[in-house]
Amino acid sequence: CIEVLQQLPKASIHCSIYSPPFCTMKGGALYTYSSDPRDLSNAITNDEFFTHYTFVVEELARVTLPGRMTCVQTMDVPSGNSGLDHLYDFSGDVIRLYERFGWQFVARHFIYKEPLRVRNRTMSKCLSHRMLTEDSTRTSIANADYLMMFRRKGENKVPVAHDTGMLSYAGEQQ
């Protein structure tokens, strides 16, 4: 992604939306996308991940128009799968990194997950019925993902106007 971002002209992007490979508490990625050593998902430690990820955020700041947005999918990352785990505040580290490059954190939208589907996909011990029956203090929830929204500092010179405003409101529907 760095090679592609470096080819884009300065201040040419209005909005970007992406999901980085979430790093784990012990280092390395929660999801691995390729075997390429340049791939963020192959970072060995969190420090290495954020060293590489810094280039992404810096390039996004360069190519994004002032006053425009980028949206990043993040989550609070579990420390493991022992049933005695805690969460790593990955999203907080992402916010702090973005702020270093002149972005303003403006919103966090929650993407809720259905616990049984998460349990079946990840085999998470803290979501198992067995853990509930043996020691419910070791259970947890299917944590939400977040869509974090950041606005690049500066004046938006190309407004996004909606001439008719909102014609309907989804909250009114059953």
Side-chain angles (χ1 to χ4, degrees):
C1 67
I2 296 298
E3 293 168 357
V4 172
L5 282 168
Q6 289 175 334
Q7 294 176 28
L8 296 175
K10 181 179 179 181
S12 61
I13 301 295
H14 294 257
C15 182
S16 57
I17 302 172
Y18 71 99
S19 176
F22 309 151
C23 38
T24 65
M25 287 286 299
K26 298 171 186 158
L30 196 57
Y31 303 105
T32 302
Y33 298 112
S34 79
S35 59
D36 188 330
R38 297 174 304 164
D39 189 326
L40 277 169
S41 68
N42 291 313
I44 303 300
T45 65
N46 285 341
D47 288 341
E48 182 181 348
F49 172 85
F50 275 100
T51 297
H52 290 177
Y53 189 45
T54 297
F55 292 108
V56 174
V57 176
E58 184 176 26
E59 280 299 305
L60 283 172
R62 184 187 68 79
V63 302
T64 304
L65 287 156
R68 288 310 187 99
M69 313 290 283
T70 189
C71 306
V72 185
Q73 181 187 359
T74 67
M75 66 182 286
D76 296 324
V77 179
S79 62
N81 189 20
S82 68
L84 295 171
D85 307 303
H86 59 280
L87 297 174
Y88 160 53
D89 184 21
F90 177 65
S91 56
D93 283 347
V94 169
I95 292 169
R96 287 181 281 283
L97 177 60
Y98 264 86
E99 288 174 340
R100 279 183 27 210
F101 288 94
W103 293 90
Q104 299 167 324
F105 174 51
V106 296
R108 181 188 322 241
H109 294 276
F110 293 84
I111 304 166
Y112 293 100
K113 300 178 195 169
E114 198 280 314
L116 183 57
R117 285 188 182 162
V118 172
R119 165 65 184 151
N120 291 342
R121 182 175 46 84
T122 65
M123 299 308 291
S124 176
K125 290 183 174 89
C126 68
L127 294 174
S128 71
H129 187 262
R130 177 179 173 193
M131 191 66 68
L132 177 73
T133 60
E134 290 179 4
D135 184 356
S136 63
T137 67
R138 295 175 64 183
T139 61
S140 187
I141 62 171
N143 291 303
D145 282 2
Y146 311 125
L147 185 62
M148 314 285 284
M149 298 178 66
F150 298 89
R151 183 181 300 113
R152 185 167 170 240
K153 287 184 182 175
E155 180 187 347
N156 176 24
K157 295 186 178 185
V158 184
V160 179
H162 298 278
D163 296 335
T164 59
M166 297 170 121
L167 298 177
S168 64
Y169 175 62
E172 294 176 13
Q173 300 173 2
Q174 293 293 323

